[in-house]
Amino acid sequence: MKSVTFADGTAVPVLGQGTWQMGRRWFRRRREVAALRTGIELGMTCIDTAESYDEGGAERIVGEAIAGRRDRVFIVTKVSADRATRALIPEACAASLRRLRTDVIDLYLVHWRGEVPLEETVVAFEKLRAEGKIRFWGTSNFDVADMEELGPGHCAANQVLYHPEARGIEHDLLPWSQERGLPTMAYSPIGQAGRLLRHKTLLHIARRHGATAAQVALAWGLRQPGLISIPKAGRPRHVRANHAALALELTPEDLREIDVALPPPNGKQKLVIW
């Protein structure tokens, strides 16, 4: 498993696991826990979640999945923007820690840019870090202007939407982050609602490699330096299929075909937030 290195030398695997929509149905709980544990065994030990996912339900699934495995896992969770205040962040963090059944969050993100001044959020994050309740803090759904306003400091990563149909960050945000050695986490790397998985170009490339369209999409994203991909998979077999994308090496011809069918941005695009 290749890894992305954080500023202090911490190595995080390039392929992790997302949990959006996990915890919504009680009858899927055992299967979702099994999926996350399968990923951990395969080295996909970066697990991303958020307090807002099913009102903490996804964090509870993660907490169950990592029981007895905590020292092998890099946990990422998020505080909602409206709770990213000096007064509310400690309360939100404490609730996430309880649901995750852990004493420390590895990476704590503000979920999107809200109305709370960034300075206030940073002060609260730094206090949590000093208290040992979080190891790193970062951002989610922040564009270049937001990151520049944040300024230099201890921001460890930025998480944004990125897949072959959502390439806007390639124009400025991704190069900006790569130049500064700031890891980018790509959520929904195989798209949503299955549309990308039916794209004829990805299907054509997949057939050429004996792979799936999802694996092509993942391999396409993982070609980027400093990028951590966090696909969500609610079944162990889907986790194994995602892991197999690590062995898929797209050719220059493959990449040219994707560029023709799904062109890179030719100018600044508004950051897409799901």
Side-chain angles (χ1 to χ4, degrees):
M1 176 73 75
K2 295 178 181 178
S3 61
V4 170
T5 304
F6 278 40
D8 74 334
T10 296
V12 178
V14 296
L15 185 61
Q17 303 183 80
T19 62
W20 183 61
Q21 294 187 326
M22 282 190 179
R24 288 189 171 186
R25 299 287 186 270
W26 65 267
F27 54 86
R28 294 177 183 164
R29 187 181 192 93
R30 183 178 297 179
R31 187 178 73 198
E32 290 170 345
V33 168
L36 291 174
R37 288 179 175 173
T38 297
I40 293 170
E41 295 304 316
L42 291 170
M44 299 162 63
T45 53
C46 176
I47 301 179
D48 175 80
T49 188
E51 67 170 9
S52 64
Y53 294 172
D54 195 45
E55 299 180 346
E59 287 184 329
R60 293 186 183 93
I61 292 289
V62 173
E64 185 174 345
I66 67 173
R69 302 164 174 80
R70 177 63 185 95
D71 61 345
R72 299 167 59 188
V73 178
F74 187 90
I75 297 176
V76 184
T77 193
K78 312 176 197 73
V79 59
S80 300
D82 58 349
R83 286 159 58 80
T85 68
R86 192 177 306 184
L88 295 179
I89 280 183
E91 174 186 309
C93 181
S96 288
L97 287 169
R98 286 193 299 271
R99 290 188 290 264
L100 291 163
R101 306 183 194 179
T102 187
D103 295 326
V104 61
I105 293 165
D106 294 298
L107 176 60
Y108 200 31
L109 310 177
V110 56
H111 207 154
W112 57 87
R113 182 70 190 270
E115 297 181 0
V116 179
L118 290 180
E119 295 85 353
E120 181 174 349
T121 301
V122 170
V123 167
F125 276 162
E126 286 293 343
K127 186 171 186 295
L128 289 176
R129 198 163 70 93
E131 293 171 348
K133 295 177 181 177
I134 65 174
R135 292 179 59 200
F136 305 101
W137 61 263
T139 56
S140 179
N141 297 308
F142 273 40
D143 208 342
V144 173
D146 303 310
M147 298 303 295
E148 290 181 337
E149 182 181 342
L150 185 63
H154 297 289
C155 179
N158 185 31
Q159 184 179 128
V160 290
L161 178 72
Y162 183 55
H163 58 72
E165 283 188 318
R167 302 181 61 170
I169 66 169
E170 291 180 6
H171 176 71
D172 52 359
L173 179 59
L174 186 58
W176 186 95
S177 300
Q178 290 170 333
E179 288 169 6
R180 289 158 178 79
L182 181 71
T184 295
M185 298 185 71
Y187 68 81
S188 296
I190 56 177
Q192 294 178 339
R195 187 176 68 177
L196 188 60
L197 307 187
R198 298 187 294 270
H199 196 283
K200 62 181 182 181
T201 298
L202 297 192
L203 289 170
H204 173 72
I205 294 170
R207 284 193 292 270
R208 193 153 62 209
H209 289 275
T212 67
Q215 290 165 344
V216 171
L218 285 173
W220 176 89
L222 290 171
R223 80 197 190 287
Q224 292 284 2
L227 185 133
I228 300 166
S229 186
I230 47 170
K232 178 254 183 179
R235 298 174 184 270
R237 63 184 175 89
H238 289 156
V239 175
R240 295 187 189 97
N242 289 342
H243 181 265
L246 291 167
L248 175 58
E249 187 171 342
L250 299 179
T251 67
E253 180 185 358
D254 297 330
L255 297 175
R256 282 193 297 270
E257 289 182 15
I258 293 172
D259 283 347
V260 170
L262 301 164
N266 54 17
K268 174 66 180 175
Q269 295 182 3
K270 183 179 179 180
L271 190 69
V272 179
I273 298 175
W274 285 94

